[in-house]
């Protein structure tokens, strides 16, 4: 997308946001615009489509009900506001360890997270299972999970995460770095094998 | 971005998930959400508009009342301030902020001036009519960017056109005094630092009322509300000034039938018309220099003591006093224009962001001191300072001047 097209799109979203408190049509158009990224974000956190649909529904229904509380005037502010709601809803959903386990088991059963993933984060060509990765993520605190999710599942930049979580940007950088370090530590225990084209080269790590 | 971050991104990008939006769910939810929006936001504009009003006024900082006073001064030479909340506070606030129309009495007492009373009428959106006892009628329509003052006895009309409203403002983002009162109320309630004091019960016209006081330093407000109807009955506010201004709005009637023609800004036939333009665009350094020039010329060469509401209102009063301004009379058009220019120019200074590192050192200086820096700031994206001297010349400087007693301006 060219810069001018991007600018035009931002302008039109901004215009919709300025109308959104009074215009059903504007709210509908913003829904169309933001449903896909919010759904994708929820799904990446929850792994199960039905659960992601439920939480996405909650997000937009809360937005419709609480539109009075939204005081922004730009598309960016509206987006951050939605991600804030979504983050809170997801955290509430995942706070219950039984529910978290259910979602993981369901995702595993459906094959959603069956695949392994290779990463050089731990050491060269390490391979971990997605299920283990999610379990490790789930062991972090709510805030740490939110930081990592907003950064890597929603693709937000540090200053945007700061806005969503109402933290200082510097705090986000430090806290995210620590959260990733903690996650890396948890993942160490999940690495089981290292594979190459010639076969298995190492045992349990 | 460093490698570490890339590695984490690579990791999460490999998550084998199809995250495409489910069309059926999206369509179903859209319908449900819009239905919720309609039922909850059938009339959402007031509360939010009031917040937007706040944005407008904050944008032109010199505290709210000063910005409005600049406009109001062209009408009946009164100043005005904000409102208050009550009992099951949320209900009262909600009722107050959602009222489509209102009829009420207003009494304004400015220290040193006779009390003024008027009948006021509000019609959503953005219409206000005030009827004074001497046959003066003020009508404002901010959506249309117009305010008129009719002297029905003298057959004279003053029309104020609000020009250059910032482009991002839609017609609902304008303000009048009634809405402004509601905005003050909403802000006070939203602000966790606002002390709200329960005043208990008292009888007004034989009716039992509950009172709440908002201890806002610059503008304390009290609201008396009817516990049965959950509407405010009386709102009192005091603008500390100087001059101190006390406003009482009483005998409220809400959601009454009001004829739209009462709010027409068309001037009746036979009236002599005077038109004024009020520039609402973002003030520039040029406006600031012009304000300092007008102000210093009108006050023995002095510059304002500061840029807070009190300092500016005192400065404006001093300028007017030098022009044989008689408090009981309506100011002349040129006086009004001067007040508007001073206030507008000062807004430039107080709306500079913190990174502008703006400083003021002119409180004890006089016009003409060509070697005395009185104000400096860094324009957006600039590495150098713009330094204004006592003769109102401006020079660029790589460093901020060092002046004893200089005060930093911050938003």
């Amino acid at each position: 997308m060219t810069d001018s097209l991007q600018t035009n799109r931002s302008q039109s979203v901004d215009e919709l946001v300025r109308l959104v408190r009074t215009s059903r049509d504007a709210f509908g158009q913003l829904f169309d615009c933001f449903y896909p990224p919010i759904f994708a974000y929820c799904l990446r956190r929850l792994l199960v489509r039905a659960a992601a649909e439920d939480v996405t529904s909650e997000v937009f229904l809360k937005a419709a009900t609480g539109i009075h509380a939204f005081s922004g005037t730009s598309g960016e502010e509206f987006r951050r506001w939605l991600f804030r709601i979504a983050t809170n809803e997801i955290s509430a959903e995942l706070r219950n360890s039984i529910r978290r386990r259910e979602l993981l088991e369901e995702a595993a059963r459906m094959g959603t997270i069956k695949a392994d993933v290779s990463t050089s984060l731990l050491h060269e060509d390490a391979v971990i299972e997605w299920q283990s990765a999610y379990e490790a993520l789930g062991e972090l605190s709510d805030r740490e999970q939110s930081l990592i999710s907003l950064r890597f599942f929603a693709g937000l930049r540090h200053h945007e995460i700061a806005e969503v979580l109402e933290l200082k940007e510097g705090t986000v950088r430090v806290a995210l770095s620590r959260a990733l370090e903690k996650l890396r530590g948890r993942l160490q225990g999940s690495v089981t094998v290292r594979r190459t084209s010639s076969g298995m080269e190492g045992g349990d790590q | 971005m460093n490698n570490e971050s890339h590695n984490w991104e690579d990791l999460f990008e490999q998550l084998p998930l199809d995250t495409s939006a489910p069309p059926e769910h999206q369509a179903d939810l859209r319908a449900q959400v819009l239905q919720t929006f309609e039922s909850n936001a059938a009339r959402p504009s007031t509360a939010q508009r009031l917040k937007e009003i706040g944005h407008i006024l904050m944008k032109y900082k010199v505290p709210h009342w000063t910005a409005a006073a600049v406009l109001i001064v062209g009408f009946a030479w009164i100043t005005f301030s904000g409102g208050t909340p009550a009992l099951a506070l949320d209900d009262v606030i909600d009722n107050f902020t959602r009222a489509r129309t209102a009829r009420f009495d207003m009494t304004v007492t400015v220290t040193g001036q006779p009390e003024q009373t008027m009948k006021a009428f509000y019609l959503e959106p953005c219409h206000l009519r005030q009827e004074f006892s001497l046959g003066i009628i003020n009508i404002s329509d901010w959506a249309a960017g117009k305010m008129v003052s009719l002297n029905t006895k003298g057959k004279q009309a003053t029309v104020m056109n609000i020009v250059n409203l910032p482009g991002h403002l839609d017609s609902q983002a304008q303000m009048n005094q009634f809405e402004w009162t509601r905005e003050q109320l909403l802000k006070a309630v939203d602000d966790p630092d606002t002390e709200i004091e329960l005043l208990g019960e008292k009888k007004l016209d034989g009716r039992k009322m509950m009172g709440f006081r908002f201890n806002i330093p610059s503008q304390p407000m009290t609201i008396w509300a009817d516990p049965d109807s959950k509407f405010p009955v009386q709102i009192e506010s005091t603008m500390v000034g100087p001059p101190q201004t006390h406003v009482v709005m009483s005998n409220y009637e809400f959601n009454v039938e009001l004829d739209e023609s009462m709010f027409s800004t068309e001037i009746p036939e036979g009236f002599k018309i005077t038109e004024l333009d009020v520039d609402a665009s973002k003030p520039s350094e040029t406006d600031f220099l012009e304000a300092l020039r007008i102000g210093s010329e009108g006050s023995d060469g002095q510059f304002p003591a500061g840029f807070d509401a009190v300092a500016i209102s005192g400065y404006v009063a001093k300028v007017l006093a030098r022009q044989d301004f008689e408090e009981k009379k309506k100011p002349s058009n040129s006086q009004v224009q001067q007040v508007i220019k001073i206030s507008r120019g000062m807004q430039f200074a107080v709306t500079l962001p913190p990174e502008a590192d703006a400083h003021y050192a002119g409180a004890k200086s006089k016009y003409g001191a060509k070697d005395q820096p009185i104000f400096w700031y860094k324009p957006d994206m600039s590495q150098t300072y713009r330094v204004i001297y006592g003769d109102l010349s401006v020079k660029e400087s790589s460093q901020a001047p060092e002046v004893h007693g200089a005060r930093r301006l911050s938003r």
Side-chain angles (χ1 to χ4, degrees):
Chain A
M1 191 181 290
T2 66
D3 285 350
S4 68
L5 276 176
Q6 181 71 54
T7 304
N8 288 339
R9 182 178 174 277
S10 300
Q11 280 174 345
S12 79
V13 172
D14 287 350
E15 283 161 16
L16 290 172
V17 169
R18 285 194 283 275
L19 296 170
V20 72
R21 297 164 199 98
T22 53
S23 165
R24 178 185 187 276
D25 185 50
F27 195 90
Q29 288 188 60
L30 288 171
F31 173 88
D32 297 338
C33 179
F34 289 108
Y35 177 93
I38 291 292
F39 174 79
Y41 174 57
C42 292
L43 183 55
R44 287 191 182 108
R45 284 297 306 275
L46 301 168
L47 297 172
V48 176
R49 290 186 82 85
E53 287 178 3
D54 288 347
V55 171
T56 303
S57 297
E58 279 301 309
V59 171
F60 283 100
L61 288 169
K62 285 201 168 168
T65 307
I67 191 68
H68 296 288
F70 172 68
S71 59
T73 55
S74 68
E76 272 307 303
E77 287 171 296
F78 191 76
R79 173 170 170 257
R80 290 198 293 259
W81 183 59
L82 289 178
F83 271 105
R84 184 180 306 154
I85 300 173
T87 300
N88 290 338
E89 290 298 315
I90 291 166
S91 294
E93 181 76 5
L94 292 177
R95 206 165 285 141
N96 182 327
S97 60
I98 296 174
R99 177 64 176 148
R100 204 161 60 228
R101 170 59 51 192
E102 282 173 357
L103 286 170
L104 268 177
E105 285 174 357
E106 189 171 347
R109 192 168 55 248
M110 295 172 76
T112 308
I113 52 172
K114 196 174 177 184
D116 294 339
V117 56
S118 62
T119 175
S120 53
L121 273 166
L122 307 174
H123 45 72
E124 197 63 26
D125 295 333
V127 175
I128 54 176
E129 293 173 347
W130 270 116
Q131 182 160 350
S132 303
Y134 265 85
E135 282 171 350
L137 185 62
E139 288 169 7
L140 302 182
S141 71
D142 278 357
R143 188 171 91 160
E144 289 165 337
Q145 290 184 52
S146 296
L147 284 162
I148 292 172
S149 305
L150 287 166
R151 179 71 189 88
F152 298 105
F153 292 164
L156 267 57
R157 288 169 290 187
H158 292 103
H159 74 274
E160 294 172 317
I161 298 171
E163 294 282 347
V164 170
L165 297 180
E166 297 177 322
L167 299 171
K168 290 180 180 171
E169 186 177 343
T171 306
V172 167
R173 286 181 189 279
V174 172
L176 179 60
S177 171
R178 286 181 182 160
L180 288 172
E181 203 48 49
K182 213 189 260 189
L183 181 61
R184 187 207 302 269
R186 300 260 195 282
L187 290 175
Q188 292 282 8
S190 306
V191 177
T192 54
V193 290
R194 185 159 65 95
R195 300 170 198 281
T196 67
S197 55
S198 59
M200 192 179 296
E201 280 194 354
D204 289 349
Q205 306 292 311
Chain B
M1 193 182 293
N2 58 32
N3 284 338
E4 175 85 359
S5 188
H6 270 307
N7 288 338
W8 283 109
E9 280 184 4
D10 287 345
L11 171 69
F12 289 111
E13 277 174 8
Q14 293 179 62
L15 181 63
L17 267 181
D18 171 13
T19 58
S20 58
E24 275 186 25
H25 178 256
Q26 183 170 356
D28 290 347
L29 180 60
R30 191 182 202 278
Q32 197 182 348
V33 159
L34 290 181
Q35 194 176 7
T36 303
F37 177 88
E38 277 186 334
S39 60
N40 283 279
R43 302 187 57 259
S45 59
T46 304
Q48 191 49 45
R49 179 172 62 249
L50 297 172
K51 287 188 184 298
E52 287 168 353
I53 290 163
H55 294 158
I56 299 167
L57 290 173
M58 292 308 286
K59 190 178 173 69
Y60 301 119
K61 198 85 174 192
V62 189
H64 287 188
W65 63 269
T66 306
V70 168
L71 300 171
I72 295 162
V73 75
F75 278 168
W77 201 236
I78 61 167
T79 44
F80 190 92
S81 65
T84 321
L87 93 172
L89 215 47
D90 290 349
D91 291 338
V92 177
I93 292 164
D94 197 45
N95 286 334
F96 186 42
T97 54
R98 284 171 179 262
R100 295 163 195 259
T101 66
R103 185 160 52 204
F104 54 99
D105 295 326
M106 247 174 96
T107 304
V108 180
T109 310
V110 181
T111 303
Q113 294 185 30
E115 179 180 281
Q116 292 199 63
T117 59
M118 68 204 80
K119 195 85 188 165
F121 304 86
Y122 167 73
L123 172 67
E124 192 177 66
C126 309
H127 302 280
L128 190 75
R129 176 188 175 98
Q130 295 166 298
E131 295 177 355
F132 295 78
S133 55
L134 296 175
I136 304 288
I137 298 172
N138 294 339
I139 300 168
S140 62
D141 179 355
W142 274 80
K146 189 172 270 194
M147 304 169 83
V148 301
S149 181
L150 303 172
N151 178 342
T152 56
K153 289 184 179 168
K155 297 282 181 191
Q156 291 183 322
T158 302
V159 178
M160 298 178 74
N161 299 305
I162 316 300
V163 298
N164 299 329
L165 274 168
H168 70 275
L169 302 175
D170 58 52
S171 63
Q172 292 184 321
Q174 317 311 324
M175 64 149 236
N176 64 43
Q177 296 159 355
F178 181 82
E179 290 168 331
W180 182 18
T181 302
R182 301 201 288 197
E183 187 263 349
Q184 293 292 337
L185 177 61
L186 284 174
K187 275 179 63 182
V189 171
D190 285 347
D191 183 355
D193 291 333
T194 301
E195 260 184 51
I196 303 176
E197 183 185 348
L198 178 63
L199 299 179
E201 294 179 7
K202 83 168 180 181
K203 284 200 170 179
L204 280 172
D205 297 329
R207 295 158 68 192
K208 191 172 73 177
M209 302 296 157
M210 291 289 288
F212 291 85
R213 180 178 172 80
F214 288 75
N215 293 315
I216 304 167
S218 61
Q219 193 173 311
M221 297 185 287
T222 302
I223 184 167
W224 293 98
D226 183 340
D228 296 328
S229 70
K230 295 184 173 55
F231 272 97
V233 174
Q234 181 166 305
I235 295 176
E236 303 163 18
S237 61
T238 301
M239 188 178 70
V240 294
Q244 189 182 82
T245 304
H246 186 63
V247 180
V248 179
M249 288 171 281
S250 57
N251 299 321
Y252 277 116
E253 297 173 82
F254 293 100
N255 298 318
V256 291
E257 286 297 317
L258 294 175
D259 191 334
E260 284 192 20
S261 64
M262 289 173 66
F263 301 91
S264 170
T265 53
E266 293 296 313
I267 306 301
E269 278 190 22
F271 277 66
K272 184 182 173 189
I273 300 174
T274 303
E275 284 209 48
L276 296 168
D277 285 347
V278 177
D279 189 348
S281 63
K282 188 174 172 59
S284 64
E285 181 191 277
T286 305
D287 295 311
F288 183 47
L289 292 170
E290 176 71 352
L292 291 174
R293 186 189 63 74
I294 294 171
S296 60
E297 282 177 0
S299 59
D300 266 342
Q302 289 184 331
F303 296 114
F307 295 102
D308 58 278
V310 173
I312 291 176
S313 66
Y315 192 57
V316 166
K318 191 182 287 184
V319 172
L320 289 173
R322 290 267 299 170
Q323 299 178 1
D324 300 324
F325 169 69
E326 295 177 44
E327 285 189 336
K328 292 179 185 175
K329 284 190 177 175
K330 186 175 177 180
S332 68
N333 286 345
S334 69
Q335 286 170 331
V336 170
Q337 289 291 8
Q338 285 195 343
V339 172
I340 289 170
K341 282 184 178 173
I342 291 173
S343 297
R344 176 176 162 72
M346 300 303 173
Q347 287 160 19
F348 168 78
V350 293
T351 54
L352 286 169
E355 53 270 27
D357 193 28
H359 281 74
Y360 181 57
K364 294 180 180 170
S365 300
K366 278 204 161 189
Y367 177 73
K370 65 184 174 72
D371 297 324
Q372 171 72 42
I374 62 166
F375 188 92
W376 55 94
Y377 73 102
K378 263 197 287 194
D380 189 26
M381 309 295 285
S382 172
Q383 296 301 310
T384 59
Y385 285 84
R386 298 276 292 169
V387 182
I388 299 172
Y389 289 84
D391 61 352
L392 301 185
S393 61
V394 185
K395 293 174 186 164
E396 298 274 342
S397 172
S398 58
Q399 287 190 322
E402 288 186 14
V403 180
H404 180 67
R407 279 184 290 171
R408 191 173 199 275
L409 277 67
S410 59
R411 296 175 74 171

